[in-house]
């Protein structure tokens, strides 16, 4: 009896081991989708097949292929005075070569390791058992579908799709019909990252790992990240069959850049949710690096890690929700030794992100009076304080909604931001409108940066 059972048991062990290795060793996985397989799809006017403004995709490919050094060298070829090189420009360029070289070395060593620790080989190896367990959980418990995508720069992107779409006719409002594309932070992976929050809420989800993270190949520089998330969105539209209007980008922490890039590049995107993210990387980098490194840090960030989330966000006109974590200890410029809750709130870079968004969309409302009222609301450290400020300004939601809807109606089909609503209202009404808009675009959650968001705290953005 044992002689008969032993070969079966041995075969089962080998089968289990082979499947486990195949599922996790992503290099053995066949390619499921390429970025250039999206032929025949209709795109918004003024956009190429990737959904970008014309030329944007080409620019990203040049950066990814050439690298900053070759781009810098190309800039030396800039000619003036009828095509002849300017002597002053050549002298200036050579003078800056040492600092450019130092910046390049910094970006491709310490800078990348600090900004994207999830791409460090040793960390990836240490996390293999944890990632394998998370991978198996998604495949087993949620019937997840893993896929390998090839981005336009050649990187292989590891993705996981969980389909929650309703199979019943007429169920258009079913949450599973909405796809949430999850963009992880700088040390998180879809196996155990922010993907779990919308997954538990009932939405269809599509997770992906940054280049260099776990099964994804390449290096996680901004241009490579943009190429990666672009092929993920193409995959959702052309292979999974979702409409762009039914896609919601969810970016947590550093993943906010990838999510905002998609929002800028795909104007018809359904919605954008940015959780525990920032407006610009530079203030955060300057806050943690030595003061004597300031010039090197500024050049390195601007030339190699220009994660300008706020700028990208202002190029998107759809629904936006910013989630500010009131105990966030990461996206804050709070001086060391003063990490109390009130100071953290005041220095949280989500504040600047909200102000930048509102000033772009509603410049008349965000006058000096409106700006002061928003900053007053941002100081609320708890739901009770938030409600107290709301009552103190005596805000009428009905009045604010009517003003906004009347203005939108007056624009007709040309309702692009910025809006001039609020140009003729009183200072008191501007304060009311500004706080109303701040509350509609930002949600406070009492948690730290590294805690997973509770399903009850994940909501779709407000739509007028």
């Amino acid at each position: 009896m044992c002689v008969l059972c032993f070969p079966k048991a041995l075969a089962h062990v080998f089968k289990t081991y082979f499947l486990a290795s195949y599922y996790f060793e992503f290099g053995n996985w066949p390619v499921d989708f390429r970025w250039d397989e999206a032929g025949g799809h209709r795109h918004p006017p003024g956009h190429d097949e990737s959904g970008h403004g014309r030329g944007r995709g080409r620019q990203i490919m040049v950066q990814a292929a050439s690298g900053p050094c070759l781009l810098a060298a190309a800039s030396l070829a800039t000619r003036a005075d009828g095509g002849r090189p300017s002597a002053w420009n050549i002298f200036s360029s050579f003078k800056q070569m040492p600092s450019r070289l130092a910046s390049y070395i910094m970006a491709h060593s310490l800078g990348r390791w600090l900004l994207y620790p999830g791409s460090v080989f040793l960390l990836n190896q240490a996390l293999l058992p944890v990632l394998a367990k998370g991978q198996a959980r998604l495949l087993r418990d949620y019937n997840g579908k893993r896929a390998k995508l090839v981005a336009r720069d050649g990187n292989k992107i590891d993705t996981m799709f969980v389909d929650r779409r309703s199979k019943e006719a007429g169920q258009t409002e079913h949450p599973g019909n909405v796809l949430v594309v999850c963009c992880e932070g700088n040390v998180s992976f879809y196996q155990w990252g922010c993907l779990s929050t919308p997954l538990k809420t009932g939405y269809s989800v599509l997770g992906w790992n940054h280049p260099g993270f776990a099964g994804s190949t390449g290096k996680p520089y901004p241009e490579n990240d943009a190429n990666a998330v672009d092929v993920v969105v193409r995959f959702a539209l052309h292979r999974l069959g979702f409409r762009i209007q039914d896609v919601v980008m969810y970016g947590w922490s550093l993943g906010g850049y990838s999510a905002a890039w998609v929002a800028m590049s795909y104007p018809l995107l359904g919605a954008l949710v940015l959780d525990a993210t920032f407006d610009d990387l530079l203030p955060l980098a300057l806050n943690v690096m030595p003061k004597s490194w300031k010039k090197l840090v500024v050049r390195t960030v601007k030339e190699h890690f220009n994660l300008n989330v706020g700028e990208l966000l202002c190029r998107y006109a759809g629904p936006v929700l910013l989630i500010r974590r009131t105990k966030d200890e990461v996206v804050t410029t709070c001086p060391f030794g003063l990490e109390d809750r009130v100071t953290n709130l005041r220095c949280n870079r989500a504040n600047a992100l909200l102000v930048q968004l509102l000033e772009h969309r509603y410049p008349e409302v965000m006058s000096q009076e409106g700006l002061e009222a928003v900053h007053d609301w941002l100081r609320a450290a708890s739901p009770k304080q938030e409600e107290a400020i709301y009552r103190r300004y005596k805000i009428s939601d009905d009045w604010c909604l009517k003003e906004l809807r009347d203005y939108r109606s007056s624009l007709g089909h040309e309702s692009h931001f910025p809006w001039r609503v609020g140009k003729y209202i009183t200072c008191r009404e501007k304060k009311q409108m500004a706080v109303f808009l701040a509350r509609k675009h930002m949600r406070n959650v009492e948690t730290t940066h590294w805690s997973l968001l509770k399903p009850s705290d994940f909501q779709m953005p407000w739509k007028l």
Side-chain angles (χ1 to χ4, degrees), residues 8 52 80 85 98 103 156 175 187 203 213 215-216 225 246 272 280 306 340 345 367 391 410-411 415:
K8 294 182 179 179
H52 315 122
S103 174
K156 314 298 191 302
V187 72
Y203 295 102
F213 283 54
S216 296
D225 235 23
D246 296 326
L272 174 65
D280 193 349
N306 189 21
D340 62 278
L345 268 181
S367 60
R391 288 195 303 270
S410 68
L411 295 176
S415 57

Side-chain angles (χ1 to χ4, degrees), residues 358 362 365 404 433-442 462:
L358 295 182
Y362 311 99
V365 173
L404 292 169
M433 181 70 78
V435 175
F436 171 83
L437 289 169
R439 196 181 192 188
K440 290 297 184 182
H441 287 84
M442 175 175 279
W462 168 68

